[in-house]
Amino acid sequence: MRGGHGLARVAVVVRAGAAPLWWLGVLAAGIGLLPEGLTGRRIGVLTGAALFLLAAAVVATARRKRYTALAASAARAGKHDVLQDRAVTARNWRRAHRWWLLLAFLAALGTSFALPAAGGMLLAGWGAGLWLKAAWLGRRERADEVLLWVRVDWLRAGVARPTGKQVKAFRSTGIAAGDAAPGGTRRRTPALV
């Protein structure tokens, strides 16, 4: 390969939506407790708790076979590939999804008039599921002693999903590459290169 590609960490892309979804969900659930709603607060909160657990479980386990298949066939990153910083990947994801996040927050608030807090808890569950998925990816990266990357141009072609149809393969590097630890978290100590 003559030219390199920009590469974003798979776990960072997955994790990028976790914090905004979680905090918007918590905020929507808190505000959603103010109206009594059609069902009452108790039923709304119990329904929300069930939705939280369901969303977290579904999001955390969705498309695991695809992740596993892409990870198993990951080619080594080339010397001309450029590794994108963790902060840049997260900022790009959040910028591309800002209107979707706003609509999801407004929808969660709107459902509070029927089921108080339920919509916000569903949104928070989605965020928790993304954190769980990133943690699963991190355990896999540690076990295999590789970090998984995806081409940035493939993320732009779709909706920033690291397992979307446009993604043909992952790339891999050693465990010390880049500025994010396995699972997409911020490194506590600088990577030794």
Side-chain angles (χ1 to χ4, degrees), residues 7-13 15 83-90 134 137-138 141-142 146-149 173-192:
L7 300 178
R9 277 290 302 288
V10 173
V12 173
V13 175
R15 193 181 173 88
L83 306 181
Q84 193 174 74
D85 289 343
R86 177 184 182 275
V88 173
T89 302
L137 282 166
E141 287 177 327
R142 281 189 195 90
V146 296
L147 299 180
L148 299 172
W149 302 78
T173 61
I175 205 83
D179 65 343
T185 59
R186 189 175 292 120
R187 285 194 192 276
R188 284 179 171 65
T189 57
L192 300 174

PDB file of all heavy atoms in Angstrom, residues 7-13 15 83-90 134 137-138 141-142 146-149 173-192:
ATOM      1  N   LEU A   7      -6.923   6.422  10.740  1.00  0.00           N
ATOM      2  CA  LEU A   7      -7.552   5.336  11.491  1.00  0.00           C
ATOM      3  C   LEU A   7      -8.078   5.850  12.825  1.00  0.00           C
ATOM      4  O   LEU A   7      -7.395   6.594  13.524  1.00  0.00           O
ATOM      5  CB  LEU A   7      -6.551   4.203  11.747  1.00  0.00           C
ATOM      6  CG  LEU A   7      -5.927   3.530  10.533  1.00  0.00           C
ATOM      7  CD1 LEU A   7      -4.922   2.466  10.983  1.00  0.00           C
ATOM      8  CD2 LEU A   7      -6.982   2.907   9.634  1.00  0.00           C
ATOM      9  N   ALA A   8      -9.298   5.453  13.171  1.00  0.00           N
ATOM     10  CA  ALA A   8      -9.905   5.799  14.455  1.00  0.00           C
ATOM     11  C   ALA A   8     -10.062   4.522  15.269  1.00  0.00           C
ATOM     12  O   ALA A   8     -10.358   3.465  14.720  1.00  0.00           O
ATOM     13  CB  ALA A   8     -11.262   6.460  14.246  1.00  0.00           C
ATOM     14  N   ARG A   9      -9.871   4.619  16.573  1.00  0.00           N
ATOM     15  CA  ARG A   9     -10.029   3.457  17.438  1.00  0.00           C
ATOM     16  C   ARG A   9     -11.483   3.014  17.466  1.00  0.00           C
ATOM     17  O   ARG A   9     -12.389   3.813  17.666  1.00  0.00           O
ATOM     18  CB  ARG A   9      -9.597   3.798  18.863  1.00  0.00           C
ATOM     19  CG  ARG A   9      -8.118   3.697  19.116  1.00  0.00           C
ATOM     20  CD  ARG A   9      -7.589   2.287  19.109  1.00  0.00           C
ATOM     21  NE  ARG A   9      -8.251   1.456  20.106  1.00  0.00           N
ATOM     22  CZ  ARG A   9      -8.039   1.581  21.408  1.00  0.00           C
ATOM     23  NH1 ARG A   9      -7.178   2.462  21.872  1.00  0.00           N
ATOM     24  NH2 ARG A   9      -8.677   0.788  22.242  1.00  0.00           N
ATOM     25  N   VAL A  10     -11.718   1.739  17.272  1.00  0.00           N
ATOM     26  CA  VAL A  10     -13.063   1.175  17.273  1.00  0.00           C
ATOM     27  C   VAL A  10     -13.739   1.407  18.618  1.00  0.00           C
ATOM     28  O   VAL A  10     -14.888   1.876  18.690  1.00  0.00           O
ATOM     29  CB  VAL A  10     -13.026  -0.334  16.939  1.00  0.00           C
ATOM     30  CG1 VAL A  10     -14.395  -0.961  17.097  1.00  0.00           C
ATOM     31  CG2 VAL A  10     -12.482  -0.558  15.535  1.00  0.00           C
ATOM     32  N   ALA A  11     -13.037   1.126  19.704  1.00  0.00           N
ATOM     33  CA  ALA A  11     -13.627   1.278  21.039  1.00  0.00           C
ATOM     34  C   ALA A  11     -13.961   2.732  21.350  1.00  0.00           C
ATOM     35  O   ALA A  11     -14.942   3.019  22.032  1.00  0.00           O
ATOM     36  CB  ALA A  11     -12.685   0.710  22.090  1.00  0.00           C
ATOM     37  N   VAL A  12     -13.157   3.659  20.846  1.00  0.00           N
ATOM     38  CA  VAL A  12     -13.427   5.078  21.084  1.00  0.00           C
ATOM     39  C   VAL A  12     -14.684   5.513  20.329  1.00  0.00           C
ATOM     40  O   VAL A  12     -15.503   6.266  20.858  1.00  0.00           O
ATOM     41  CB  VAL A  12     -12.211   5.946  20.686  1.00  0.00           C
ATOM     42  CG1 VAL A  12     -12.545   7.427  20.763  1.00  0.00           C
ATOM     43  CG2 VAL A  12     -11.017   5.626  21.568  1.00  0.00           C
ATOM     44  N   VAL A  13     -14.871   5.014  19.105  1.00  0.00           N
ATOM     45  CA  VAL A  13     -16.075   5.332  18.340  1.00  0.00           C
ATOM     46  C   VAL A  13     -17.309   4.799  19.075  1.00  0.00           C
ATOM     47  O   VAL A  13     -18.316   5.498  19.205  1.00  0.00           O
ATOM     48  CB  VAL A  13     -16.006   4.745  16.913  1.00  0.00           C
ATOM     49  CG1 VAL A  13     -17.304   4.981  16.161  1.00  0.00           C
ATOM     50  CG2 VAL A  13     -14.846   5.339  16.136  1.00  0.00           C
ATOM     51  N   ARG A  15     -17.565   4.174  22.287  1.00  0.00           N
ATOM     52  CA  ARG A  15     -17.676   4.871  23.571  1.00  0.00           C
ATOM     53  C   ARG A  15     -18.093   6.332  23.427  1.00  0.00           C
ATOM     54  O   ARG A  15     -18.603   6.930  24.368  1.00  0.00           O
ATOM     55  CB  ARG A  15     -16.312   4.768  24.258  1.00  0.00           C
ATOM     56  CG  ARG A  15     -16.264   5.124  25.680  1.00  0.00           C
ATOM     57  CD  ARG A  15     -14.829   4.971  26.170  1.00  0.00           C
ATOM     58  NE  ARG A  15     -14.707   5.459  27.516  1.00  0.00           N
ATOM     59  CZ  ARG A  15     -14.927   4.723  28.581  1.00  0.00           C
ATOM     60  NH1 ARG A  15     -15.261   3.465  28.456  1.00  0.00           N
ATOM     61  NH2 ARG A  15     -14.813   5.243  29.788  1.00  0.00           N
ATOM     62  N   LEU A  83      -2.845   7.528  12.994  1.00  0.00           N
ATOM     63  CA  LEU A  83      -3.735   7.172  14.104  1.00  0.00           C
ATOM     64  C   LEU A  83      -4.381   8.435  14.668  1.00  0.00           C
ATOM     65  O   LEU A  83      -3.690   9.359  15.099  1.00  0.00           O
ATOM     66  CB  LEU A  83      -2.948   6.440  15.200  1.00  0.00           C
ATOM     67  CG  LEU A  83      -2.152   5.209  14.753  1.00  0.00           C
ATOM     68  CD1 LEU A  83      -1.435   4.580  15.940  1.00  0.00           C
ATOM     69  CD2 LEU A  83      -3.053   4.194  14.064  1.00  0.00           C
ATOM     70  N   GLN A  84      -5.693   8.457  14.648  1.00  0.00           N
ATOM     71  CA  GLN A  84      -6.429   9.633  15.117  1.00  0.00           C
ATOM     72  C   GLN A  84      -6.468   9.661  16.640  1.00  0.00           C
ATOM     73  O   GLN A  84      -6.641   8.629  17.293  1.00  0.00           O
ATOM     74  CB  GLN A  84      -7.857   9.583  14.564  1.00  0.00           C
ATOM     75  CG  GLN A  84      -8.629  10.870  14.705  1.00  0.00           C
ATOM     76  CD  GLN A  84      -9.973  10.770  14.012  1.00  0.00           C
ATOM     77  OE1 GLN A  84     -10.880  10.119  14.502  1.00  0.00           O
ATOM     78  NE2 GLN A  84     -10.095  11.405  12.862  1.00  0.00           N
ATOM     79  N   ASP A  85      -6.324  10.858  17.205  1.00  0.00           N
ATOM     80  CA  ASP A  85      -6.391  11.016  18.654  1.00  0.00           C
ATOM     81  C   ASP A  85      -7.773  10.673  19.171  1.00  0.00           C
ATOM     82  O   ASP A  85      -8.780  10.874  18.497  1.00  0.00           O
ATOM     83  CB  ASP A  85      -6.061  12.456  19.064  1.00  0.00           C
ATOM     84  CG  ASP A  85      -4.603  12.806  18.880  1.00  0.00           C
ATOM     85  OD1 ASP A  85      -3.785  11.871  18.753  1.00  0.00           O
ATOM     86  OD2 ASP A  85      -4.284  13.999  18.872  1.00  0.00           O
ATOM     87  N   ARG A  86      -7.812  10.209  20.411  1.00  0.00           N
ATOM     88  CA  ARG A  86      -9.062   9.850  21.073  1.00  0.00           C
ATOM     89  C   ARG A  86     -10.040  11.025  21.110  1.00  0.00           C
ATOM     90  O   ARG A  86     -11.220  10.876  20.802  1.00  0.00           O
ATOM     91  CB  ARG A  86      -8.729   9.385  22.496  1.00  0.00           C
ATOM     92  CG  ARG A  86      -9.889   9.043  23.352  1.00  0.00           C
ATOM     93  CD  ARG A  86      -9.394   8.700  24.778  1.00  0.00           C
ATOM     94  NE  ARG A  86     -10.486   8.325  25.619  1.00  0.00           N
ATOM     95  CZ  ARG A  86     -11.244   9.201  26.277  1.00  0.00           C
ATOM     96  NH1 ARG A  86     -11.009  10.482  26.184  1.00  0.00           N
ATOM     97  NH2 ARG A  86     -12.243   8.770  27.029  1.00  0.00           N
ATOM     98  N   ALA A  87      -9.542  12.208  21.490  1.00  0.00           N
ATOM     99  CA  ALA A  87     -10.410  13.383  21.610  1.00  0.00           C
ATOM    100  C   ALA A  87     -10.994  13.778  20.258  1.00  0.00           C
ATOM    101  O   ALA A  87     -12.162  14.190  20.167  1.00  0.00           O
ATOM    102  CB  ALA A  87      -9.626  14.546  22.214  1.00  0.00           C
ATOM    103  N   VAL A  88     -10.220  13.661  19.206  1.00  0.00           N
ATOM    104  CA  VAL A  88     -10.699  14.015  17.862  1.00  0.00           C
ATOM    105  C   VAL A  88     -11.803  13.051  17.423  1.00  0.00           C
ATOM    106  O   VAL A  88     -12.830  13.467  16.893  1.00  0.00           O
ATOM    107  CB  VAL A  88      -9.530  14.011  16.848  1.00  0.00           C
ATOM    108  CG1 VAL A  88     -10.035  14.217  15.432  1.00  0.00           C
ATOM    109  CG2 VAL A  88      -8.512  15.075  17.217  1.00  0.00           C
ATOM    110  N   THR A  89     -11.603  11.759  17.661  1.00  0.00           N
ATOM    111  CA  THR A  89     -12.614  10.757  17.295  1.00  0.00           C
ATOM    112  C   THR A  89     -13.921  11.017  18.030  1.00  0.00           C
ATOM    113  O   THR A  89     -15.001  11.019  17.421  1.00  0.00           O
ATOM    114  CB  THR A  89     -12.109   9.331  17.621  1.00  0.00           C
ATOM    115  OG1 THR A  89     -10.882   9.101  16.924  1.00  0.00           O
ATOM    116  CG2 THR A  89     -13.123   8.287  17.238  1.00  0.00           C
ATOM    117  N   ALA A  90     -13.836  11.248  19.343  1.00  0.00           N
ATOM    118  CA  ALA A  90     -15.047  11.505  20.135  1.00  0.00           C
ATOM    119  C   ALA A  90     -15.735  12.788  19.679  1.00  0.00           C
ATOM    120  O   ALA A  90     -16.964  12.829  19.536  1.00  0.00           O
ATOM    121  CB  ALA A  90     -14.691  11.580  21.620  1.00  0.00           C
ATOM    122  N   ALA A 134     -17.959  -1.043  24.941  1.00  0.00           N
ATOM    123  CA  ALA A 134     -16.570  -0.586  24.882  1.00  0.00           C
ATOM    124  C   ALA A 134     -15.702  -1.374  25.866  1.00  0.00           C
ATOM    125  O   ALA A 134     -14.558  -1.726  25.556  1.00  0.00           O
ATOM    126  CB  ALA A 134     -16.489   0.910  25.171  1.00  0.00           C
ATOM    127  N   LEU A 137     -15.002  -4.714  24.326  1.00  0.00           N
ATOM    128  CA  LEU A 137     -13.946  -4.557  23.320  1.00  0.00           C
ATOM    129  C   LEU A 137     -12.575  -4.427  23.988  1.00  0.00           C
ATOM    130  O   LEU A 137     -11.586  -4.974  23.509  1.00  0.00           O
ATOM    131  CB  LEU A 137     -14.220  -3.340  22.438  1.00  0.00           C
ATOM    132  CG  LEU A 137     -15.266  -3.519  21.350  1.00  0.00           C
ATOM    133  CD1 LEU A 137     -15.677  -2.168  20.779  1.00  0.00           C
ATOM    134  CD2 LEU A 137     -14.752  -4.418  20.249  1.00  0.00           C
ATOM    135  N   GLY A 138     -12.527  -3.693  25.089  1.00  0.00           N
ATOM    136  CA  GLY A 138     -11.271  -3.536  25.818  1.00  0.00           C
ATOM    137  C   GLY A 138     -10.733  -4.857  26.348  1.00  0.00           C
ATOM    138  O   GLY A 138      -9.533  -5.121  26.272  1.00  0.00           O
ATOM    139  N   GLU A 141      -9.327  -6.670  23.400  1.00  0.00           N
ATOM    140  CA  GLU A 141      -8.042  -6.093  22.985  1.00  0.00           C
ATOM    141  C   GLU A 141      -6.919  -6.522  23.926  1.00  0.00           C
ATOM    142  O   GLU A 141      -5.823  -6.863  23.480  1.00  0.00           O
ATOM    143  CB  GLU A 141      -8.148  -4.564  22.937  1.00  0.00           C
ATOM    144  CG  GLU A 141      -8.966  -4.052  21.764  1.00  0.00           C
ATOM    145  CD  GLU A 141      -9.136  -2.551  21.758  1.00  0.00           C
ATOM    146  OE1 GLU A 141      -9.211  -1.944  22.864  1.00  0.00           O
ATOM    147  OE2 GLU A 141      -9.213  -1.969  20.667  1.00  0.00           O
ATOM    148  N   ARG A 142      -7.173  -6.518  25.226  1.00  0.00           N
ATOM    149  CA  ARG A 142      -6.150  -6.950  26.189  1.00  0.00           C
ATOM    150  C   ARG A 142      -5.800  -8.424  25.996  1.00  0.00           C
ATOM    151  O   ARG A 142      -4.633  -8.803  26.048  1.00  0.00           O
ATOM    152  CB  ARG A 142      -6.628  -6.710  27.620  1.00  0.00           C
ATOM    153  CG  ARG A 142      -6.504  -5.288  28.075  1.00  0.00           C
ATOM    154  CD  ARG A 142      -6.790  -5.138  29.560  1.00  0.00           C
ATOM    155  NE  ARG A 142      -7.005  -3.742  29.884  1.00  0.00           N
ATOM    156  CZ  ARG A 142      -8.184  -3.126  29.871  1.00  0.00           C
ATOM    157  NH1 ARG A 142      -9.275  -3.794  29.562  1.00  0.00           N
ATOM    158  NH2 ARG A 142      -8.286  -1.854  30.168  1.00  0.00           N
ATOM    159  N   VAL A 146      -3.784  -6.495  21.106  1.00  0.00           N
ATOM    160  CA  VAL A 146      -3.834  -5.604  19.942  1.00  0.00           C
ATOM    161  C   VAL A 146      -4.874  -4.519  20.215  1.00  0.00           C
ATOM    162  O   VAL A 146      -5.760  -4.697  21.049  1.00  0.00           O
ATOM    163  CB  VAL A 146      -4.217  -6.348  18.638  1.00  0.00           C
ATOM    164  CG1 VAL A 146      -3.181  -7.371  18.255  1.00  0.00           C
ATOM    165  CG2 VAL A 146      -5.593  -6.955  18.738  1.00  0.00           C
ATOM    166  N   LEU A 147      -4.727  -3.411  19.521  1.00  0.00           N
ATOM    167  CA  LEU A 147      -5.766  -2.384  19.510  1.00  0.00           C
ATOM    168  C   LEU A 147      -6.421  -2.411  18.144  1.00  0.00           C
ATOM    169  O   LEU A 147      -5.751  -2.582  17.128  1.00  0.00           O
ATOM    170  CB  LEU A 147      -5.160  -1.002  19.776  1.00  0.00           C
ATOM    171  CG  LEU A 147      -4.463  -0.822  21.129  1.00  0.00           C
ATOM    172  CD1 LEU A 147      -3.913   0.594  21.249  1.00  0.00           C
ATOM    173  CD2 LEU A 147      -5.399  -1.137  22.281  1.00  0.00           C
ATOM    174  N   LEU A 148      -7.742  -2.256  18.107  1.00  0.00           N
ATOM    175  CA  LEU A 148      -8.501  -2.330  16.852  1.00  0.00           C
ATOM    176  C   LEU A 148      -8.834  -0.934  16.352  1.00  0.00           C
ATOM    177  O   LEU A 148      -9.258  -0.068  17.118  1.00  0.00           O
ATOM    178  CB  LEU A 148      -9.789  -3.137  17.076  1.00  0.00           C
ATOM    179  CG  LEU A 148      -9.575  -4.576  17.526  1.00  0.00           C
ATOM    180  CD1 LEU A 148     -10.897  -5.226  17.902  1.00  0.00           C
ATOM    181  CD2 LEU A 148      -8.866  -5.375  16.441  1.00  0.00           C
ATOM    182  N   TRP A 149      -8.644  -0.749  15.045  1.00  0.00           N
ATOM    183  CA  TRP A 149      -8.841   0.555  14.399  1.00  0.00           C
ATOM    184  C   TRP A 149      -9.728   0.374  13.172  1.00  0.00           C
ATOM    185  O   TRP A 149      -9.778  -0.707  12.582  1.00  0.00           O
ATOM    186  CB  TRP A 149      -7.495   1.135  13.967  1.00  0.00           C
ATOM    187  CG  TRP A 149      -6.524   1.309  15.088  1.00  0.00           C
ATOM    188  CD1 TRP A 149      -5.765   0.352  15.692  1.00  0.00           C
ATOM    189  CD2 TRP A 149      -6.232   2.528  15.765  1.00  0.00           C
ATOM    190  NE1 TRP A 149      -5.003   0.900  16.691  1.00  0.00           N
ATOM    191  CE2 TRP A 149      -5.265   2.228  16.765  1.00  0.00           C
ATOM    192  CE3 TRP A 149      -6.666   3.844  15.630  1.00  0.00           C
ATOM    193  CZ2 TRP A 149      -4.748   3.201  17.615  1.00  0.00           C
ATOM    194  CZ3 TRP A 149      -6.147   4.809  16.477  1.00  0.00           C
ATOM    195  CH2 TRP A 149      -5.197   4.486  17.456  1.00  0.00           C
ATOM    196  N   THR A 173      -2.996  -2.635  15.751  1.00  0.00           N
ATOM    197  CA  THR A 173      -1.666  -2.153  16.136  1.00  0.00           C
ATOM    198  C   THR A 173      -1.307  -2.826  17.451  1.00  0.00           C
ATOM    199  O   THR A 173      -2.125  -3.517  18.052  1.00  0.00           O
ATOM    200  CB  THR A 173      -1.651  -0.624  16.359  1.00  0.00           C
ATOM    201  OG1 THR A 173      -2.548  -0.307  17.424  1.00  0.00           O
ATOM    202  CG2 THR A 173      -2.025   0.128  15.098  1.00  0.00           C
ATOM    203  N   GLY A 174      -0.105  -2.561  17.895  1.00  0.00           N
ATOM    204  CA  GLY A 174       0.307  -3.038  19.214  1.00  0.00           C
ATOM    205  C   GLY A 174      -0.492  -2.343  20.303  1.00  0.00           C
ATOM    206  O   GLY A 174      -1.133  -1.320  20.072  1.00  0.00           O
ATOM    207  N   ILE A 175      -0.418  -2.871  21.485  1.00  0.00           N
ATOM    208  CA  ILE A 175      -1.233  -2.400  22.605  1.00  0.00           C
ATOM    209  C   ILE A 175      -0.846  -1.003  23.073  1.00  0.00           C
ATOM    210  O   ILE A 175      -1.630  -0.303  23.713  1.00  0.00           O
ATOM    211  CB  ILE A 175      -1.147  -3.422  23.768  1.00  0.00           C
ATOM    212  CG1 ILE A 175      -2.375  -3.331  24.672  1.00  0.00           C
ATOM    213  CG2 ILE A 175       0.140  -3.285  24.548  1.00  0.00           C
ATOM    214  CD1 ILE A 175      -3.545  -4.096  24.165  1.00  0.00           C
ATOM    215  N   ALA A 176       0.357  -0.539  22.732  1.00  0.00           N
ATOM    216  CA  ALA A 176       0.825   0.770  23.206  1.00  0.00           C
ATOM    217  C   ALA A 176       0.577   1.897  22.209  1.00  0.00           C
ATOM    218  O   ALA A 176       0.883   3.042  22.500  1.00  0.00           O
ATOM    219  CB  ALA A 176       2.313   0.702  23.520  1.00  0.00           C
ATOM    220  N   ALA A 177       0.001   1.603  21.058  1.00  0.00           N
ATOM    221  CA  ALA A 177      -0.201   2.639  20.034  1.00  0.00           C
ATOM    222  C   ALA A 177      -1.329   3.596  20.424  1.00  0.00           C
ATOM    223  O   ALA A 177      -2.268   3.220  21.114  1.00  0.00           O
ATOM    224  CB  ALA A 177      -0.513   1.984  18.688  1.00  0.00           C
ATOM    225  N   GLY A 178      -1.212   4.826  19.949  1.00  0.00           N
ATOM    226  CA  GLY A 178      -2.283   5.793  20.166  1.00  0.00           C
ATOM    227  C   GLY A 178      -2.330   6.329  21.581  1.00  0.00           C
ATOM    228  O   GLY A 178      -1.501   6.007  22.424  1.00  0.00           O
ATOM    229  N   ASP A 179      -3.332   7.168  21.844  1.00  0.00           N
ATOM    230  CA  ASP A 179      -3.431   7.821  23.147  1.00  0.00           C
ATOM    231  C   ASP A 179      -4.602   7.305  23.981  1.00  0.00           C
ATOM    232  O   ASP A 179      -4.982   7.918  24.963  1.00  0.00           O
ATOM    233  CB  ASP A 179      -3.550   9.339  22.982  1.00  0.00           C
ATOM    234  CG  ASP A 179      -4.841   9.751  22.291  1.00  0.00           C
ATOM    235  OD1 ASP A 179      -5.488   8.892  21.651  1.00  0.00           O
ATOM    236  OD2 ASP A 179      -5.207  10.933  22.401  1.00  0.00           O
ATOM    237  N   ALA A 180      -5.198   6.176  23.581  1.00  0.00           N
ATOM    238  CA  ALA A 180      -6.306   5.588  24.341  1.00  0.00           C
ATOM    239  C   ALA A 180      -5.949   4.162  24.742  1.00  0.00           C
ATOM    240  O   ALA A 180      -5.357   3.419  23.977  1.00  0.00           O
ATOM    241  CB  ALA A 180      -7.586   5.593  23.511  1.00  0.00           C
ATOM    242  N   ALA A 181      -6.321   3.800  25.950  1.00  0.00           N
ATOM    243  CA  ALA A 181      -6.075   2.452  26.463  1.00  0.00           C
ATOM    244  C   ALA A 181      -7.074   1.476  25.847  1.00  0.00           C
ATOM    245  O   ALA A 181      -8.043   1.895  25.197  1.00  0.00           O
ATOM    246  CB  ALA A 181      -6.213   2.472  27.988  1.00  0.00           C
ATOM    247  N   PRO A 182      -6.888   0.175  26.027  1.00  0.00           N
ATOM    248  CA  PRO A 182      -7.894  -0.784  25.561  1.00  0.00           C
ATOM    249  C   PRO A 182      -9.272  -0.439  26.119  1.00  0.00           C
ATOM    250  O   PRO A 182      -9.412  -0.094  27.281  1.00  0.00           O
ATOM    251  CB  PRO A 182      -7.387  -2.120  26.122  1.00  0.00           C
ATOM    252  CG  PRO A 182      -5.908  -1.944  26.173  1.00  0.00           C
ATOM    253  CD  PRO A 182      -5.705  -0.510  26.581  1.00  0.00           C
ATOM    254  N   GLY A 183     -10.275  -0.516  25.264  1.00  0.00           N
ATOM    255  CA  GLY A 183     -11.627  -0.135  25.651  1.00  0.00           C
ATOM    256  C   GLY A 183     -11.944   1.318  25.374  1.00  0.00           C
ATOM    257  O   GLY A 183     -13.064   1.771  25.559  1.00  0.00           O
ATOM    258  N   GLY A 184     -10.945   2.083  24.921  1.00  0.00           N
ATOM    259  CA  GLY A 184     -11.175   3.472  24.543  1.00  0.00           C
ATOM    260  C   GLY A 184     -11.047   4.487  25.651  1.00  0.00           C
ATOM    261  O   GLY A 184     -11.291   5.668  25.445  1.00  0.00           O
ATOM    262  N   THR A 185     -10.654   4.059  26.843  1.00  0.00           N
ATOM    263  CA  THR A 185     -10.497   5.003  27.944  1.00  0.00           C
ATOM    264  C   THR A 185      -9.208   5.793  27.778  1.00  0.00           C
ATOM    265  O   THR A 185      -8.301   5.383  27.054  1.00  0.00           O
ATOM    266  CB  THR A 185     -10.470   4.278  29.303  1.00  0.00           C
ATOM    267  OG1 THR A 185      -9.385   3.352  29.301  1.00  0.00           O
ATOM    268  CG2 THR A 185     -11.782   3.552  29.564  1.00  0.00           C
ATOM    269  N   ARG A 186      -9.115   6.914  28.470  1.00  0.00           N
ATOM    270  CA  ARG A 186      -7.910   7.737  28.443  1.00  0.00           C
ATOM    271  C   ARG A 186      -6.783   6.988  29.156  1.00  0.00           C
ATOM    272  O   ARG A 186      -6.990   6.384  30.204  1.00  0.00           O
ATOM    273  CB  ARG A 186      -8.196   9.061  29.151  1.00  0.00           C
ATOM    274  CG  ARG A 186      -7.109  10.090  29.001  1.00  0.00           C
ATOM    275  CD  ARG A 186      -7.513  11.426  29.623  1.00  0.00           C
ATOM    276  NE  ARG A 186      -8.591  12.038  28.886  1.00  0.00           N
ATOM    277  CZ  ARG A 186      -9.780  12.329  29.396  1.00  0.00           C
ATOM    278  NH1 ARG A 186     -10.051  12.057  30.654  1.00  0.00           N
ATOM    279  NH2 ARG A 186     -10.707  12.915  28.662  1.00  0.00           N
ATOM    280  N   ARG A 187      -5.605   7.009  28.568  1.00  0.00           N
ATOM    281  CA  ARG A 187      -4.451   6.356  29.210  1.00  0.00           C
ATOM    282  C   ARG A 187      -4.089   7.091  30.484  1.00  0.00           C
ATOM    283  O   ARG A 187      -4.040   8.304  30.519  1.00  0.00           O
ATOM    284  CB  ARG A 187      -3.241   6.357  28.270  1.00  0.00           C
ATOM    285  CG  ARG A 187      -3.330   5.361  27.162  1.00  0.00           C
ATOM    286  CD  ARG A 187      -1.962   5.194  26.489  1.00  0.00           C
ATOM    287  NE  ARG A 187      -2.089   4.458  25.237  1.00  0.00           N
ATOM    288  CZ  ARG A 187      -2.112   3.138  25.171  1.00  0.00           C
ATOM    289  NH1 ARG A 187      -2.020   2.420  26.255  1.00  0.00           N
ATOM    290  NH2 ARG A 187      -2.227   2.543  24.002  1.00  0.00           N
ATOM    291  N   ARG A 188      -3.802   6.305  31.521  1.00  0.00           N
ATOM    292  CA  ARG A 188      -3.389   6.919  32.777  1.00  0.00           C
ATOM    293  C   ARG A 188      -1.916   7.334  32.737  1.00  0.00           C
ATOM    294  O   ARG A 188      -1.509   8.275  33.381  1.00  0.00           O
ATOM    295  CB  ARG A 188      -3.623   5.941  33.922  1.00  0.00           C
ATOM    296  CG  ARG A 188      -5.085   5.838  34.295  1.00  0.00           C
ATOM    297  CD  ARG A 188      -5.299   4.844  35.421  1.00  0.00           C
ATOM    298  NE  ARG A 188      -6.637   4.849  35.958  1.00  0.00           N
ATOM    299  CZ  ARG A 188      -7.729   4.501  35.300  1.00  0.00           C
ATOM    300  NH1 ARG A 188      -7.662   4.149  34.055  1.00  0.00           N
ATOM    301  NH2 ARG A 188      -8.917   4.514  35.879  1.00  0.00           N
ATOM    302  N   THR A 189      -1.112   6.599  31.995  1.00  0.00           N
ATOM    303  CA  THR A 189       0.295   6.927  31.835  1.00  0.00           C
ATOM    304  C   THR A 189       0.587   7.011  30.355  1.00  0.00           C
ATOM    305  O   THR A 189      -0.050   6.338  29.543  1.00  0.00           O
ATOM    306  CB  THR A 189       1.203   5.846  32.476  1.00  0.00           C
ATOM    307  OG1 THR A 189       0.893   4.593  31.888  1.00  0.00           O
ATOM    308  CG2 THR A 189       1.006   5.783  33.971  1.00  0.00           C
ATOM    309  N   PRO A 190       1.544   7.844  29.959  1.00  0.00           N
ATOM    310  CA  PRO A 190       1.869   7.935  28.536  1.00  0.00           C
ATOM    311  C   PRO A 190       2.313   6.602  27.967  1.00  0.00           C
ATOM    312  O   PRO A 190       2.956   5.803  28.645  1.00  0.00           O
ATOM    313  CB  PRO A 190       3.023   8.952  28.498  1.00  0.00           C
ATOM    314  CG  PRO A 190       2.996   9.641  29.814  1.00  0.00           C
ATOM    315  CD  PRO A 190       2.369   8.696  30.784  1.00  0.00           C
ATOM    316  N   ALA A 191       1.937   6.344  26.706  1.00  0.00           N
ATOM    317  CA  ALA A 191       2.331   5.102  26.041  1.00  0.00           C
ATOM    318  C   ALA A 191       3.819   5.120  25.761  1.00  0.00           C
ATOM    319  O   ALA A 191       4.388   6.139  25.399  1.00  0.00           O
ATOM    320  CB  ALA A 191       1.557   4.936  24.753  1.00  0.00           C
ATOM    321  N   LEU A 192       4.473   3.994  25.966  1.00  0.00           N
ATOM    322  CA  LEU A 192       5.885   3.873  25.638  1.00  0.00           C
ATOM    323  C   LEU A 192       5.992   3.391  24.204  1.00  0.00           C
ATOM    324  O   LEU A 192       5.426   2.390  23.827  1.00  0.00           O
ATOM    325  CB  LEU A 192       6.551   2.869  26.584  1.00  0.00           C
ATOM    326  CG  LEU A 192       6.486   3.238  28.078  1.00  0.00           C
ATOM    327  CD1 LEU A 192       7.047   2.096  28.908  1.00  0.00           C
ATOM    328  CD2 LEU A 192       7.232   4.514  28.347  1.00  0.00           C
TER     329      LEU A 192
END
